[in-house]
Amino acid sequence: MPDAMVAARDSKAASGTAQQVDVAVVGAGFAGLYLLHRLRKAGFTTVALEEAGDVGGTWYWNRYPGARCDIQTIDYSYTFDPELETAWTWSEKYATQPEILRYLGFVADRYDLRRDIRFKTKVTEAKWDEAAERWQLATDNGARISCRHYIMATGCLSAPKPPEIDGVKEFGGEVYFTGRWPHGGVNLAGKRVAVIGTGSSGIQSIPLIAEQAAHLTVFQRTPNFALPAHNGPSPSDRMSLLQGDRAAYREQARQSMAGVPYPQQTAVSWQLSDAELRARFEEAWGKGDLVYILTQLWADQGVDVDGNKLICDLIREKIGTIVKDPETAAALMPHDHPFGAKRPCLDTNYYATYNRPNVTLVNLRQEPIKAITADGITTGKRSFDVDVIVFATGFDAMTGAIRAVHPITGRGGKSLYDVWAQGPQTYLGLTVEGFPNFFMITGPGSPSVLSNMAVSIEQHVDWVVDRLKALRDAGFTTVEPTETAQAGWGQHMADCATLTLHRLANTWYTGANVPGKVHALMPYTGGVGPYRSICDEVTSRGMLGFKLTGPDVAAQCNDGEVVRLQPDVRLVLNLLGQLNLPPIESMGALGARAFVDEFNKGRPAGRPIGAVTDGTLPGTDGPLPYRLYRPATPGPHPVVVYFHGGGWVLGDEQSDDPFCRDMVRRTGMIFVSVGYRHAPEHRFPTAAEDGYAATRWIAEHAAELGGQPSPVLVAGWSAGGNIAAVTCQLARDRGGPEIAGQLLVCPVTDCTFDRPSYNDNATGYFLTRSLMYWFWDLYCSPADRTDPRVSPLRGKVSGLPPAFVVTCEFDPLRDEGIAYADAMAAAGVPVEQLKARGHFHSSFTMADVIITGVSGRVQMAEALRRFAGLPPEVRRGDENSHGHASPGHKIAAAAS
Ligand code: N01
């Protein structure tokens, strides 16, 4: 497409006199165009500076053969104006680059945006002028600019990275970069062509280049997962959803994880038979939709190495069936990263292209490129004479266009280049501390490249422009995030990153593709919907984490961290909040038990283990039920006596099933979960005495249960933690049984409610203060509450077995758990504590829902093995590494 007919609009200002605007925007792609439209509507004077000759951003530059979007085009569109939506019809499921560029030109015309864009103009410097409280910009074309606010809408993949191969300048043939493809096209007919790189750009262009070239040699360093696009008309099912209720469809996209309206998948892989797994995969393969296959197969695919490996195997099998030469097929199969951890690709005939006689694949892992010569490319083993080299080698992503293109100097002369030397730090991915009135659209720390960019861009732009409007109306002239808020966002980013498998791949998401770049996962992995709600929360909490100043208003600094909960805990609590449940204590004991039963039916099934058997054991007043969880490994195993949670009122020997299974898998031990009797039918000290009696019986019958003979271990959660702690005291005082160690997870240890955590976490974290009052009232009369059989903190705490005590930051019981651990330690008991940041009372027992609880459960399992005298071989695959990670895997190594 020719450059814009509208020439770069030179500022009327004489050279040396700056053009004065409220807001300057860099970039006229998807983000820049929408910014201009919104800013103008909000009454801001604006200019956009664009290096290219026309609008389009990435779609202006990436004109290589086969360039298309790989999010369905009906989803990859602006949604801010319903009339625009109906005024444009996409011709294909995945539109080509020329069609997308035409669309962006259409949008620019429709809203008359070009009149505020200075094309062919590069910013060469941006400096914050402290006295004027304005950004001063220098450009390579036309007047300087002085603006109140400076917004980078520069895209995430706009700075191509250099080829990093010696000798490019020596090459006598033609050289092209996919990211800077000539506008007039390139005639490759009859030529010997080399393509270096097999990311999305390479995978899209290789089949078309192969059709034109006399011979194509593909130089592949890392194979990538690619799926057939099955391009054509937009699928009728998606179209009818969109057309059936456009507003609802768009809203679902905005609240979704990836910015495309698909529901949250709930089935987990271990619940599905092999036939079901394969059927789901085949359906996804047939759909030709990246977001579908990345999110809809099974719930654990993106968070668990085992669930992910199932998909990797199935895709590798597909590659094997398409590519005829086994050696080539093997070289094309990715083994070094989980599916989705590196950006997968959509293709048209990619793998089949390697069956063509004029295509050769060179596996650079076996023969790295040594140099580019005048005639072609030399590897460690061979030389390839070529006429054309196409570099599909990617970009200095996310930070390249912001950090390195021009110096950006903030408050106190600080350069963004230096501030980000150890990796990008931002608040919300939108702002940076020390850089007032500076914003980024889809910056590092925002969902951006892990989402449908169109949806994220609209959200970012709306949020920024709405804030600028509100600040202006309130008389504020500067806005800047605080250090605390930015550090908190960094922590939240890191917490989110532990949820996904991105940390197990070296990719441009982490900066690993650029030599010397600091490794850090740059996009926000917490999802589009949660991100949107966090941004809204910042606003509703009075611009939390921002300093605001203005000449005629009092400065405001509402400091703080917007998210302190672990990301999955936040999701669970939000979901529970949306259910608007009545307080459990208002349901009565029977109603509450029925509620808990129903609630538990909705959770993911526990993972398979060796065996689960039910039985009864003799209690003090008759039989007590138990459930025994046995590992798949040969026994005999150490035995852990387990007490479920439920405030002495709720739950049973089956109600902590996922936790017990998880711990059995990790520890390799038998767990016997005891069905002790409940209040109000059986009040204090029944639960305590049942717990002790059960422990004694299990210890005496450990061998019959398939376990190692005594000593046993005890463990429990919440009221079960209370029973476990009490059992250890009773066993010490009543002559046994011998207990090798105690695991107390968020235990009740004392009858007073005056510790700070009872107030700090009184409501909002599922277990409330009033629910605890109710539990206590049902179980124990006030006169009995100081009895160590219910308040073990008031008992003698010396001479107890070694303990591992877990407490959660957002739990009313936090401080009494810590107090008990401290008291035991002070009395000489070997005690380890896990004070779990950002977690709530149920974090660790909601195995497979609260994924951030994995590392805590690994520590618990390690402790139990230590107590039992076993070597520290804890199953930690889902925490640390991908099954196929290569030994030199930097990120994986860092994670362990
Ligand atoms: O870049 P990439 P891309 N020697 O970084 C290889 C988006 N996009 O332009 O993996 C030899 O993915 C490198 O190898 P390795 C999309 O988000 C979207 O293809 O580092 N090889 C890799 O194979 C995408 O993810 C669409 O070992 C070298 C390749 O070059 C992102 O843009 C279309 C090398 C680079 O792959 C980037 O995609 C296109 C060297 N020195 C792009 N240096 C849509 O469909 C690098 N490589 C919307």
Side-chain angles (χ1 to χ4, degrees):
M1 178 169 167
D3 282 351
M5 299 307 291
V6 184
R9 224 172 69 105
D10 276 342
S11 161
K12 291 268 169 2
S15 78
T17 310
Q19 182 182 358
Q20 303 285 331
V21 289
D22 295 327
V23 187
V25 171
V26 188
F30 249 101
L33 291 180
Y34 182 47
L35 262 172
L36 274 188
H37 174 65
R38 282 285 338 255
L39 287 165
R40 221 189 247 170
K41 277 185 69 170
F44 291 102
T45 56
T46 312
V47 65
L49 304 153
E50 171 56 66
E51 195 180 341
D54 196 7
V55 299
T58 194
W59 299 107
Y60 176 93
W61 298 108
N62 285 272
R63 298 169 186 240
Y64 58 84
R68 291 174 184 275
C69 62
D70 57 8
I71 297 276
Q72 291 198 29
T73 332
I74 56 166
D75 299 309
Y76 188 68
S77 310
Y78 290 116
T79 66
F80 63 87
D81 180 353
E83 284 179 20
L84 170 64
E85 289 209 51
T86 47
W88 182 270
T89 306
W90 293 106
S91 67
E92 288 181 280
K93 178 178 167 190
Y94 298 109
T96 58
Q97 172 271 334
E99 187 176 6
I100 300 172
L101 195 56
R102 275 199 302 281
Y103 171 72
L104 293 171
F106 172 79
V107 171
D109 290 341
R110 189 179 173 90
Y111 302 99
D112 187 20
L113 299 176
R114 284 192 175 93
R115 73 179 152 89
D116 284 329
I117 305 173
R118 281 169 57 178
F119 291 108
K120 295 190 173 166
T121 304
K122 204 173 159 182
V123 181
T124 52
E125 188 184 20
K127 219 172 185 169
W128 174 249
D129 178 343
E130 196 90 49
E133 293 189 335
R134 293 177 75 84
W135 283 93
Q136 311 295 357
L137 313 182
T139 73
D140 68 350
N141 181 12
R144 298 175 64 83
I145 290 155
S146 167
C147 53
R148 173 76 64 203
H149 301 282
Y150 184 43
I151 308 184
M152 302 293 276
T154 35
C156 299
L157 296 154
S158 43
K161 88 184 176 85
E164 302 141 8
I165 300 170
D166 290 342
V168 181
K169 286 202 181 117
E170 316 303 321
F171 181 57
E174 301 160 56
V175 172
Y176 301 104
F177 286 79
T178 48
R180 290 287 181 273
W181 201 256
H183 289 197
V186 179
N187 181 9
L188 298 171
K191 294 182 181 162
R192 296 163 303 171
V193 181
V195 173
I196 302 178
T198 51
S200 299
S201 306
I203 282 174
Q204 282 186 332
S205 57
I206 282 166
L208 293 173
I209 293 175
E211 283 175 14
Q212 296 174 38
H215 194 91
L216 169 64
T217 310
V218 177
F219 292 83
Q220 172 195 270
R221 191 162 64 185
T222 311
N224 217 335
F225 290 105
L227 307 139
H230 301 304
N231 201 16
S234 287
S236 54
D237 57 337
R238 303 306 295 170
M239 281 307 283
S240 44
L241 275 178
L242 173 67
Q243 285 162 351
D245 188 343
R246 192 175 285 269
Y249 184 93
R250 296 300 188 208
E251 188 52 27
Q252 197 189 341
R254 292 182 190 117
Q255 301 304 335
S256 69
M257 292 303 275
V260 177
Y262 283 118
Q264 194 73 29
Q265 181 53 249
T266 50
V268 280
S269 60
W270 59 90
Q271 269 178 305
L272 304 168
S273 66
D274 287 351
E276 286 170 320
L277 292 167
R278 186 170 283 274
R280 282 176 180 237
F281 172 76
E282 291 293 346
E283 189 187 352
W285 187 262
K287 276 193 188 291
D289 182 331
L290 270 186
V291 180
Y292 185 90
I293 202 167
L294 281 165
T295 61
Q296 299 299 300
L297 292 188
W298 34 88
D300 49 315
Q301 66 183 80
V303 295
D304 180 82
V305 282
D306 295 338
N308 189 278
K309 183 174 176 297
L310 293 166
I311 308 175
C312 297
D313 288 344
L314 288 162
I315 299 178
R316 286 191 283 260
E317 193 184 303
K318 286 281 183 201
I319 298 170
T321 57
I322 300 169
V323 180
K324 295 198 177 113
D325 173 47
E327 198 184 328
T328 306
L332 287 165
M333 292 178 191
H335 280 283
D336 77 327
H337 62 275
F339 173 68
K342 185 169 185 154
R343 174 70 146 73
C345 310
L346 266 196
D347 75 275
T348 301
N349 296 328
Y350 176 64
Y351 292 118
T353 295
Y354 291 95
N355 295 332
R356 295 175 64 103
N358 71 330
V359 176
T360 308
L361 178 70
V362 178
N363 183 348
L364 299 182
R365 296 283 177 213
Q366 287 175 359
E367 46 177 319
I369 294 176
K370 276 176 79 178
I372 292 177
T373 63
D375 299 324
I377 298 173
T378 307
T379 69
K381 290 184 183 164
R382 296 176 275 178
S383 286
F384 298 86
D385 287 353
V386 294
D387 306 307
V388 179
I389 300 178
V390 174
F391 286 98
T393 39
F395 301 87
D396 181 355
M398 309 276 318
T399 52
I402 301 172
R403 182 170 176 246
V405 285
H406 61 263
I408 299 177
T409 311
R411 202 188 281 289
K414 272 196 291 187
S415 125
L416 190 62
Y417 190 89
D418 295 339
V419 169
W420 282 5
Q422 295 310 312
Q425 299 159 48
T426 70
Y427 183 36
L428 306 171
L430 295 168
T431 58
V432 184
E433 194 263 331
F435 294 79
N437 297 3
F438 173 76
F439 296 90
M440 298 162 295
I441 305 301
T442 64
S446 78
S448 59
V449 290
L450 292 178
S451 69
N452 175 357
M453 287 292 260
V455 168
S456 285
I457 283 170
E458 283 193 339
Q459 186 272 340
H460 295 184
V461 169
D462 287 341
W463 193 88
V464 170
V465 178
D466 289 346
R467 299 291 66 73
L468 293 188
K469 240 169 75 174
L471 297 179
R472 179 191 59 192
D473 295 350
F476 291 112
T477 48
T478 74
V479 50
E480 180 189 342
T482 67
E483 221 177 312
T484 313
Q486 183 163 291
W489 190 249
Q491 181 64 62
H492 176 58
M493 289 270 296
D495 291 342
C496 289
T498 65
L499 277 172
T500 72
L501 302 179
H502 288 291
R503 67 190 186 282
L504 305 183
N506 291 316
T507 66
W508 61 257
Y509 293 141
T510 65
N513 66 328
V514 177
K517 192 167 174 175
V518 169
H519 286 209
L521 184 58
M522 293 181 284
Y524 176 72
T525 54
V528 164
Y531 176 82
R532 176 179 295 268
S533 75
I534 291 167
C535 290
D536 292 346
E537 192 177 330
V538 167
T539 314
S540 67
R541 291 171 69 186
M543 287 298 277
L544 181 65
F546 282 103
K547 291 178 270 191
L548 312 174
T549 66
D552 305 318
V553 281
Q556 175 191 312
C557 179
N558 193 2
D559 204 2
E561 298 157 81
V562 61
V563 185
R564 291 184 52 215
L565 290 168
Q566 291 292 333
D568 41 6
V569 170
R570 184 175 180 275
L571 279 180
V572 165
L573 289 173
N574 283 349
L575 279 175
L576 288 169
Q578 283 160 18
L579 293 177
N580 264 329
L581 298 168
I584 292 176
E585 59 272 29
S586 71
M587 299 177 185
L590 293 181
R593 285 174 195 157
F595 165 78
V596 169
D597 280 352
E598 255 336 280
F599 188 80
N600 285 347
K601 279 182 201 156
R603 65 190 176 184
R607 296 193 189 217
I609 53 171
V612 177
T613 46
D614 292 327
T616 54
L617 56 88
T620 45
D621 294 318
L624 296 175
Y626 69 81
R627 175 163 275 202
L628 186 145
Y629 300 87
R630 194 184 305 284
T633 50
H637 309 92
V639 176
V640 180
V641 183
Y642 179 75
F643 302 106
H644 67 83
W648 308 284
V649 176
L650 311 174
D652 56 33
E653 71 281 2
Q654 304 180 19
S655 56
D656 291 349
D657 190 84
F659 178 68
C660 289
R661 286 171 185 264
D662 189 86
M663 292 302 291
V664 167
R665 287 172 72 244
R666 291 180 196 285
T667 57
M669 298 180 181
I670 287 175
F671 268 55
V672 184
S673 175
V674 176
Y676 56 89
R677 286 171 294 169
H678 291 146
E681 296 86 344
H682 305 280
R683 286 167 61 85
F684 174 83
T686 307
E689 293 296 346
D690 280 359
Y692 172 68
T695 305
R696 209 171 51 193
W697 185 87
I698 291 166
E700 285 162 6
H701 297 82
E704 289 158 45
L705 297 171
Q708 286 174 9
S710 191
V712 292
L713 301 99
V714 296
W717 167 55
S718 192
N722 172 269
I723 296 170
V726 169
T727 295
C728 291
Q729 294 192 6
L730 295 179
R732 176 200 57 200
D733 299 340
R734 295 180 184 175
E738 193 186 341
I739 295 176
Q742 49 179 330
L743 168 65
L744 310 180
V745 184
C746 306
V748 182
T749 69
D750 195 27
C751 56
T752 54
F753 309 113
D754 53 3
R755 294 187 175 84
S757 58
Y758 253 95
N759 283 327
D760 299 348
N761 307 315
T763 58
Y765 304 107
F766 200 56
L767 178 66
T768 61
R769 179 170 56 191
S770 69
L771 181 57
M772 279 309 301
Y773 288 168
W774 184 67
F775 285 144
W776 272 101
D777 285 345
L778 290 189
Y779 181 52
C780 193
S781 61
D784 291 330
R785 289 188 187 180
T786 53
D787 189 311
R789 285 176 298 166
V790 70
S791 290
L793 186 56
R794 301 193 180 234
K796 181 178 143 201
V797 292
S798 58
L800 292 171
F804 190 86
V805 181
V806 181
T807 50
C808 292
E809 185 180 2
F810 296 100
D811 180 1
L813 305 184
R814 178 193 66 204
D815 293 343
E816 65 193 77
I818 292 172
Y820 192 60
D822 290 346
M824 285 192 290
V829 176
V831 177
E832 292 162 72
Q833 287 197 58
L834 167 61
K835 295 178 183 172
R837 181 182 52 78
H839 282 285
F840 79 134
H841 187 69
S842 304
S843 278
F844 292 106
T845 47
M846 292 182 89
D848 300 317
V849 174
I850 304 295
I851 311 295
T852 52
V854 166
S855 65
R857 288 196 299 275
V858 167
Q859 291 177 60
M860 295 178 211
E862 284 171 343
L864 287 176
R865 286 185 68 90
R866 264 196 310 280
F867 296 157
L870 297 179
E873 286 163 18
V874 168
R875 185 191 162 85
R876 48 192 313 156
D878 47 355
E879 190 208 25
N880 275 328
S881 64
H882 187 244
H884 298 284
S886 58
H889 218 273
K890 293 180 218 139
I891 304 281
S896 60

